[in-house]
Amino acid sequence: MASQPVLATATLPFSSLPLDPLGPPYNAWGRYGSSDQLGTLNMLVPSVVAAAARTEIRTGTRVSLDWPLNKPLHPSYGRDRLKHVIRRKGPEGRVVNDDLLEFNTQISSQWDGLRHYGYLEAKRYYNNTTDEQLHSSLALGIDVIASSGGITGRGILLDYVSWAEANSVQLDPLASTSIPLAHLQRVIASYNITFSPGGGDILFIRSGLTAAFNKLDDSSQHMLSKRPTADFAGVEATPEVLKWLWDSKFAAVAGDMPAFERSPPGGGKSDAYPAEEVGLEGVCCLHEVLLGGWGCPIGEMFDLEALAEMCKKEARWSFFVSSVPLKVPGGVASPPNAIAIF
């Protein structure tokens, strides 16, 4: 493992991976020091956040990026739905209430923290953290992100839905299909989108998932959650996608898709399926590399419908993002509590 941290703004070629030659494929362990717990969020240094605020906040218009916590009505992946109880404080008629929430932090809009997913074969989380270390400490908790100021900076929306409609490309967000890198690159070119040369942008990709879910009645949503596999569209899992994400120097990536990448990995292949048949050498999915290798948070099931409309209205696809996860010590994931500011 690298003994000296690399400056957050330094550029490392994708070909330099893995940084720890004894670790799993594509890892960037040690880039920010052997004890680092922030990963790619290290790129969000004060100067980067301040520059984003100066250039992106112009009108003060704000857009929520969270889907309601009770959506979807019937979560997939075997997760339980939200339980919400309001309790009156005192006798009948006293106008004082508390409420209790019980929910899986990954049933609705969420940031996957670095405790969520590691390298399955190597059995290591970010920066070579073992499962034993994870379960005997608070290491890599979602609270580290909150304590550092959250995921805050310049956001970029790739509106794949609008581009697909304009170019007669079929898109079903409720089916296990891949969003090809070639298409995303065409979205970038079509909308004249540029990324910050120094890095630190927060990527959002719209597949139309939340809009598709909102059109379903309760029965249809229930049937969807009972499918043999959780089939949803998402970014293709290929070495080329990893190279693009790395070279673009994103601080975090997110979308309205339940897994950001195609679900299940390989279109129906389990985590134990041979990695070479999924498309990535030595790993089965983007989650392993982004979370376990780079420490890059993954946002899922963000509601990007109003954001897309505001981007069209403003005729720009960049904005300021403020997202502060729940400060749960040792937490695995969290609702994003995110807004975009124009």
Side-chain angles (χ1 to χ4, degrees), residues 6-11 31-32 42-43 45 47-48 198 249:
V6 177
L7 290 175
T9 54
T11 298
R31 181 179 186 184
Y32 302 107
N42 280 289
M43 287 186 271
V45 296
S47 60
V48 168
K249 294 177 282 189

Side-chain angles (χ1 to χ4, degrees), residues 8-327:
T9 54
T11 298
L12 288 176
F14 184 70
S15 59
S16 66
L17 304 180
L19 292 189
D20 183 344
L22 301 180
Y26 310 109
N27 81 74
W29 296 349
R31 181 179 186 184
Y32 302 107
S34 59
S35 61
D36 175 61
Q37 299 187 66
L38 281 176
T40 54
L41 295 182
N42 280 289
M43 287 186 271
L44 296 178
V45 296
S47 60
V48 168
V49 177
R54 285 195 304 270
T55 58
E56 301 300 334
I57 300 178
R58 306 174 194 175
T59 67
T61 303
R62 301 172 305 283
V63 179
S64 171
L65 305 182
D66 286 37
W67 210 12
L69 199 52
N70 64 347
K71 290 189 175 182
L73 298 174
H74 302 279
S76 296
Y77 303 98
R79 292 170 176 143
D80 295 330
R81 64 195 297 178
L82 169 74
K83 295 178 182 178
H84 181 203
V85 177
I86 296 179
R87 288 188 175 175
R88 188 188 306 276
K89 298 292 289 180
E92 184 75 23
R94 187 169 186 253
V95 289
V96 180
N97 300 291
D98 284 352
D99 61 357
L100 285 76
L101 299 175
E102 179 181 333
F103 65 99
N104 186 311
T105 52
Q106 304 202 31
I107 58 171
S108 188
S109 302
Q110 69 198 257
W111 283 113
D112 284 349
L114 306 190
R115 287 180 149 234
H116 174 54
Y117 217 105
Y119 282 99
L120 300 180
E121 184 175 338
K123 299 187 183 304
R124 290 292 190 274
Y125 296 90
Y126 176 63
N127 247 357
N128 205 23
T129 303
T130 67
D131 199 48
E132 291 75 16
Q133 289 172 320
L134 204 72
H135 286 274
S136 62
S137 72
L138 302 178
L140 304 181
I142 199 79
D143 57 301
V144 177
I145 297 176
S147 296
S148 73
I151 300 174
T152 307
R154 180 177 184 255
I156 294 289
L157 175 65
L158 301 187
D159 189 354
Y160 186 61
V161 177
S162 295
W163 177 87
E165 291 174 351
N167 290 273
S168 301
V169 174
Q170 289 189 332
L171 172 61
D172 182 357
L174 304 180
S176 183
T177 55
S178 292
I179 298 175
L181 174 59
H183 285 187
L184 295 178
Q185 290 172 328
R186 289 176 63 185
V187 174
I188 294 167
S190 296
Y191 294 102
N192 296 313
I193 293 171
T194 58
F195 302 136
S196 299
D201 288 339
I202 302 161
L203 174 69
F204 295 88
I205 299 175
R206 176 178 173 243
S207 75
L209 184 282
T210 58
F213 253 109
N214 289 338
K215 293 177 182 177
L216 300 177
D217 59 22
D218 184 88
S219 176
S220 297
Q221 286 202 34
H222 187 260
M223 290 176 60
L224 202 69
S225 71
K226 298 301 181 183
R227 294 183 295 180
T229 56
D231 293 349
F232 298 104
V235 177
E236 65 177 353
T238 64
E240 291 76 21
V241 164
L242 284 176
K243 184 179 187 304
W244 172 66
L245 293 174
W246 177 267
D247 290 344
S248 299
K249 294 177 282 189
F250 296 125
V253 300
D256 56 3
M257 308 83 87
F260 180 74
E261 60 184 307
R262 180 185 185 181
S263 176
K269 302 175 176 62
S270 70
D271 286 346
Y273 203 87
E276 62 271 14
E277 296 192 36
V278 178
L280 293 174
E281 179 185 352
V283 296
C284 80
C285 59
L286 298 181
H287 272 61
E288 288 191 73
V289 179
L290 293 178
L291 295 173
W294 304 349
C296 177
I298 301 174
E300 298 159 346
M301 286 189 284
F302 278 59
D303 188 358
L304 304 179
E305 297 305 301
L307 177 65
E309 290 304 312
M310 185 57 63
C311 284
K312 292 174 185 176
K313 180 181 177 181
E314 294 289 326
R316 62 186 177 107
W317 303 92
S318 61
F319 39 87
F320 189 83
V321 174
S322 176
S323 176
V324 182
L326 298 177
K327 204 170 187 178

